[in-house]
Amino acid sequence: MDANGLETMPAAELHDRAVRYAVRHGDLGFLWELLKVIPAAEAASGHPNESANDLSKVSALLSDALAAGEGKLGEALRPIYIDYLRQHPDA
């Protein structure tokens, strides 16, 4: 898919494609990067309390990574998904 196609996709679809591809290909590096940026994205999306909770609980981060395509959080993480999907055009 070309870059313009990715830019116009909803954040939830970008998330689903990127995470599904990473899980299917065992790309722990991308999943770890996603886990690292979720707290900042939570704060940027207007949920600073979630950010503090996530930093203290790895299980919360894993849960967030699998569901981080919706709403303001999905929009905050949109550049991460687009960058990853550009690197993996077969995703």
Side-chain angles (χ1 to χ4, degrees):
M1 173 171 286
D2 68 16
N4 290 333
L6 292 174
E7 294 291 341
T8 60
M9 290 175 73
E13 189 174 343
L14 291 168
H15 163 269
D16 292 349
R17 287 181 64 168
V19 170
R20 185 173 45 244
Y21 183 88
V23 168
R24 189 171 56 239
H25 290 88
D27 189 348
L28 298 178
F30 171 75
L31 296 172
W32 182 247
E33 185 62 29
L34 184 59
L35 292 175
K36 291 190 317 187
V37 299
I38 283 175
E42 288 277 12
S45 65
H47 298 98
N49 293 337
E50 284 295 319
S51 177
N53 291 338
D54 287 349
L55 289 173
S56 65
K57 296 182 181 179
V58 172
S59 63
L61 284 172
L62 291 172
S63 176
D64 281 352
L66 296 176
E70 300 295 323
K72 291 180 181 180
L73 178 59
E75 291 301 324
L77 292 168
R78 180 180 192 79
I80 302 296
Y81 301 137
I82 289 172
D83 182 56
Y84 185 72
L85 292 169
R86 282 184 179 147
Q87 293 174 39
H88 302 282
D90 58 325

